[in-house]
Amino acid sequence: MGRLSDRNRPKAKLKDVSIRRILFLFKRYWGQLLVIVGLALLAAVMGLIPPLVMKEIIDIAIPQGRVQLLSVMALMLIVLPVLSGVIGVWQNHLNTKVTQGVIRDLGQSLFHNLQRQSMSFFTDARSGEIVQRITGDVQSVQSVVTSIVVSSITQIVIVITTIGILFALDWKLAIISVLILPLFVLPVKKVSKLRKDLRIETQKVRSDITSQLNENFGISGALLTRIFGREKQQEHEFTTMNQKVMDLELRLNLVGRWFGMATSTLGPLGTAIIYIYGGYSVIQGDMTLGSIVAFTAYLGRLYMPVGTLLNLHVEVATALGVFQRIFEYQDMVPDVMDADGACQLGPVAGHVRYKQVSFAYKVGEKGRTGERRKTEKQGGEAESGKQAERGGEAEREKLAERGVVREKVQYALRDITFEAQPGEMVALVGPSGAGKSTLIGMIARLYDPTAGVVEVDGVNVRDVELASLRAQIAYVTQESFLFHATIGDNLRFAQENATREEMEAACRQAYIHDFIVSLPEGYDTMVGERGHRLSGGERQRIAIARAILKRPRILILDEATSHLDSESESYVQAALEELMQGRTTLVIAHRLSTVLAADHILVIEAGSVVERGTHSELLALEGLYARLYSTQFAKAAEEAAKGN
């Protein structure tokens, strides 16, 4: 199966990353937002009072010598900030609660959708990229989410109430004050675009760093680095990317600071104009000194919130690139999912049938791999390879006429038909890259065929719920993955409520129980990252015990004994033979013992079945199987004969 590049996946468009969609993230929190709006309105009203108090002190209390009024006004100047502070604490708490709820929901949504993706996605994407988007990208928009809730609501309320009272004080001065506001808007568009582009590039480099860290400091990557002595090269690559992030962040900050400086100069400009015009009015006796003081105090409440709102606009525009990355993962539609009306698959006998199954993806004609797309509707009638190619050629011609980059269909598997009766073993042999793993993965719907049908007990696997289908299947791969947990936890991954007795019985069948109980902590032993505290054979036998514990009706073995030494293999092979009794088994075979035990052997080359039959029948054909036997299996046969 061809490996695809994640960068060629369809990207979320900026039109899909609108402010409206971002605000939709708050849908569950409208009640709390209304409380925040109410608190913001109350705080804004209370903020309007101090300038009026100052006006009373300057124009009335002091000139008229009214000490009692002066005392009351001074007390208000103390009480009002305290009350505003209490309201601010309450408002900030609610805002944090809403913000963290949105961040939690966003991360949960991404995780849920990633869990639904087929194996095609995970073979295309880098694990570091996935981790960066679900953690780093989500956290990086937290400040924007916070600003949207508190700053936008609070500042809008302040601006509206302040403009209202300015016009109430003096409509001429109010008009002069408002006319300056458009000057704040001029640099916003250019600054927003520049910061958005810089943020997209920064997040991309951060993803590259995360991917490199995951690869370098994973057990396998760390081992490979030390064996080949590439520490300095990897450190140089990290240093280069780390420096690039620093440079991008500096540019991002500098652009923001220049914008802040530009807007901060407009406030004093407005204040100066007001003092000139207002001072002249005071001299002429048209306005009191207290009114000018109050008016200039309100100007600060007008220009500062406007600057904050414009800066918020810039920050949101900057974050659109990050939201674009988040929504891209949020909007992905799984290649494999439950069909509408999918039914539960009950206990099955294990009759497996592949009917004219093909699997294809599209590649650019210049060699650039494009997005894998299905060329026929799922569940449709099977189509021959030649028909698909003709249809693909016609489609490419249409695209060429429209000036679109042309793609062609590449078949990884083509028109494969076979069946396995309950209890039978079907072995797949062939060169590496022939499509064997993709083919057997279709029975568990790790991949869906582009054309054709896969059936279990006569039921199309697309018509049943995925969970009920996979409950009937156990899968043991050549790379025996174990989680960084205890041996018992790894076994219970197959059966959550498995008892200690059931786990021990499964491990005895896999000939690993004696080894486990010899460990100081037994079944409570931590296996380490990817199980690397254990040998390859030990990991494989635990993985096989995990499959035994599930007791499936259908068993898939992808070179399941490939990492075992001869002694371990003989034990495990015996356990597998017992497990396979009465169960249908599909196995990718690289071992002679597996091939000889198979009821049917399919020889796959370049995505097609070129030979089929039993071991003796295929040897008699003197074709590809005979050549594979002579190169891969004959030596094992000779060693087995010597041992006897």
Side-chain angles (χ1 to χ4, degrees), residues 421-437:
Q421 296 295 332
E424 288 188 339
M425 179 198 294
V426 175
L428 280 65
V429 300
S432 297
K436 303 185 295 295
S437 295

mmCIF file of all heavy atoms in Angstrom, residues 421-437:
data_model
loop_
_atom_site.group_PDB
_atom_site.id
_atom_site.type_symbol
_atom_site.label_atom_id
_atom_site.label_comp_id
_atom_site.label_asym_id
_atom_site.label_seq_id
_atom_site.Cartn_x
_atom_site.Cartn_y
_atom_site.Cartn_z
ATOM 1 N N GLN A 421 -13.621 -21.328 5.097
ATOM 2 C CA GLN A 421 -14.705 -21.930 5.860
ATOM 3 C C GLN A 421 -14.374 -21.856 7.350
ATOM 4 O O GLN A 421 -13.211 -21.705 7.731
ATOM 5 C CB GLN A 421 -14.909 -23.387 5.432
ATOM 6 C CG GLN A 421 -15.349 -23.565 3.994
ATOM 7 C CD GLN A 421 -16.729 -22.979 3.715
ATOM 8 O OE1 GLN A 421 -17.574 -22.897 4.619
ATOM 9 N NE2 GLN A 421 -16.956 -22.572 2.465
ATOM 10 N N PRO A 422 -15.394 -21.945 8.216
ATOM 11 C CA PRO A 422 -15.127 -21.899 9.651
ATOM 12 C C PRO A 422 -14.075 -22.922 10.061
ATOM 13 O O PRO A 422 -14.155 -24.099 9.687
ATOM 14 C CB PRO A 422 -16.494 -22.224 10.265
ATOM 15 C CG PRO A 422 -17.477 -21.747 9.253
ATOM 16 C CD PRO A 422 -16.845 -22.025 7.931
ATOM 17 N N GLY A 423 -13.081 -22.459 10.793
ATOM 18 C CA GLY A 423 -12.033 -23.348 11.282
ATOM 19 C C GLY A 423 -10.867 -23.521 10.338
ATOM 20 O O GLY A 423 -9.863 -24.122 10.712
ATOM 21 N N GLU A 424 -10.951 -22.990 9.124
ATOM 22 C CA GLU A 424 -9.857 -23.140 8.171
ATOM 23 C C GLU A 424 -8.797 -22.058 8.358
ATOM 24 O O GLU A 424 -9.075 -20.981 8.886
ATOM 25 C CB GLU A 424 -10.385 -23.086 6.735
ATOM 26 C CG GLU A 424 -11.156 -24.313 6.314
ATOM 27 C CD GLU A 424 -11.490 -24.302 4.826
ATOM 28 O OE1 GLU A 424 -11.487 -23.205 4.232
ATOM 29 O OE2 GLU A 424 -11.760 -25.383 4.271
ATOM 30 N N MET A 425 -7.588 -22.389 7.878
ATOM 31 C CA MET A 425 -6.507 -21.407 7.869
ATOM 32 C C MET A 425 -6.158 -21.077 6.433
ATOM 33 O O MET A 425 -5.920 -21.968 5.618
ATOM 34 C CB MET A 425 -5.251 -21.934 8.568
ATOM 35 C CG MET A 425 -4.106 -20.917 8.540
ATOM 36 S SD MET A 425 -2.473 -21.638 8.881
ATOM 37 C CE MET A 425 -2.672 -22.127 10.572
ATOM 38 N N VAL A 426 -6.124 -19.775 6.134
ATOM 39 C CA VAL A 426 -5.690 -19.298 4.826
ATOM 40 C C VAL A 426 -4.389 -18.538 5.036
ATOM 41 O O VAL A 426 -4.342 -17.583 5.818
ATOM 42 C CB VAL A 426 -6.743 -18.390 4.170
ATOM 43 C CG1 VAL A 426 -6.205 -17.807 2.866
ATOM 44 C CG2 VAL A 426 -8.025 -19.165 3.915
ATOM 45 N N ALA A 427 -3.341 -18.975 4.350
ATOM 46 C CA ALA A 427 -2.036 -18.328 4.464
ATOM 47 C C ALA A 427 -1.789 -17.450 3.250
ATOM 48 O O ALA A 427 -2.090 -17.845 2.112
ATOM 49 C CB ALA A 427 -0.936 -19.370 4.604
ATOM 50 N N LEU A 428 -1.254 -16.272 3.490
ATOM 51 C CA LEU A 428 -0.897 -15.349 2.410
ATOM 52 C C LEU A 428 0.621 -15.253 2.358
ATOM 53 O O LEU A 428 1.267 -14.956 3.368
ATOM 54 C CB LEU A 428 -1.489 -13.967 2.652
ATOM 55 C CG LEU A 428 -2.966 -13.723 2.304
ATOM 56 C CD1 LEU A 428 -3.875 -14.559 3.185
ATOM 57 C CD2 LEU A 428 -3.318 -12.247 2.473
ATOM 58 N N VAL A 429 1.179 -15.526 1.207
ATOM 59 C CA VAL A 429 2.621 -15.409 1.032
ATOM 60 C C VAL A 429 2.881 -14.536 -0.187
ATOM 61 O O VAL A 429 2.025 -14.386 -1.060
ATOM 62 C CB VAL A 429 3.302 -16.785 0.861
ATOM 63 C CG1 VAL A 429 3.069 -17.662 2.078
ATOM 64 C CG2 VAL A 429 2.794 -17.475 -0.405
ATOM 65 N N GLY A 430 4.062 -13.974 -0.222
ATOM 66 C CA GLY A 430 4.418 -13.121 -1.344
ATOM 67 C C GLY A 430 5.488 -12.133 -0.942
ATOM 68 O O GLY A 430 5.818 -12.001 0.243
ATOM 69 N N PRO A 431 6.030 -11.412 -1.904
ATOM 70 C CA PRO A 431 7.079 -10.435 -1.601
ATOM 71 C C PRO A 431 6.567 -9.321 -0.696
ATOM 72 O O PRO A 431 5.365 -9.054 -0.612
ATOM 73 C CB PRO A 431 7.454 -9.884 -2.990
ATOM 74 C CG PRO A 431 6.885 -10.855 -3.977
ATOM 75 C CD PRO A 431 5.699 -11.465 -3.331
ATOM 76 N N SER A 432 7.474 -8.654 0.000
ATOM 77 C CA SER A 432 7.107 -7.502 0.810
ATOM 78 C C SER A 432 6.509 -6.409 -0.078
ATOM 79 O O SER A 432 6.961 -6.196 -1.196
ATOM 80 C CB SER A 432 8.339 -6.945 1.541
ATOM 81 O OG SER A 432 8.857 -7.897 2.438
ATOM 82 N N GLY A 433 5.482 -5.732 0.442
ATOM 83 C CA GLY A 433 4.840 -4.670 -0.324
ATOM 84 C C GLY A 433 3.809 -5.151 -1.308
ATOM 85 O O GLY A 433 3.305 -4.363 -2.114
ATOM 86 N N ALA A 434 3.464 -6.452 -1.244
ATOM 87 C CA ALA A 434 2.489 -6.990 -2.195
ATOM 88 C C ALA A 434 1.058 -6.642 -1.824
ATOM 89 O O ALA A 434 0.144 -6.825 -2.623
ATOM 90 C CB ALA A 434 2.648 -8.511 -2.304
ATOM 91 N N GLY A 435 0.815 -6.146 -0.597
ATOM 92 C CA GLY A 435 -0.531 -5.771 -0.176
ATOM 93 C C GLY A 435 -1.170 -6.749 0.789
ATOM 94 O O GLY A 435 -2.371 -6.674 1.045
ATOM 95 N N LYS A 436 -0.381 -7.657 1.364
ATOM 96 C CA LYS A 436 -0.938 -8.700 2.225
ATOM 97 C C LYS A 436 -1.554 -8.120 3.504
ATOM 98 O O LYS A 436 -2.662 -8.509 3.891
ATOM 99 C CB LYS A 436 0.161 -9.718 2.584
ATOM 100 C CG LYS A 436 0.832 -10.358 1.380
ATOM 101 C CD LYS A 436 1.822 -11.430 1.781
ATOM 102 C CE LYS A 436 3.013 -10.871 2.552
ATOM 103 N NZ LYS A 436 3.851 -9.967 1.741
ATOM 104 N N SER A 437 -0.848 -7.204 4.161
ATOM 105 C CA SER A 437 -1.369 -6.636 5.413
ATOM 106 C C SER A 437 -2.647 -5.838 5.180
ATOM 107 O O SER A 437 -3.583 -5.889 5.978
ATOM 108 C CB SER A 437 -0.307 -5.738 6.068
ATOM 109 O OG SER A 437 0.818 -6.486 6.459
#
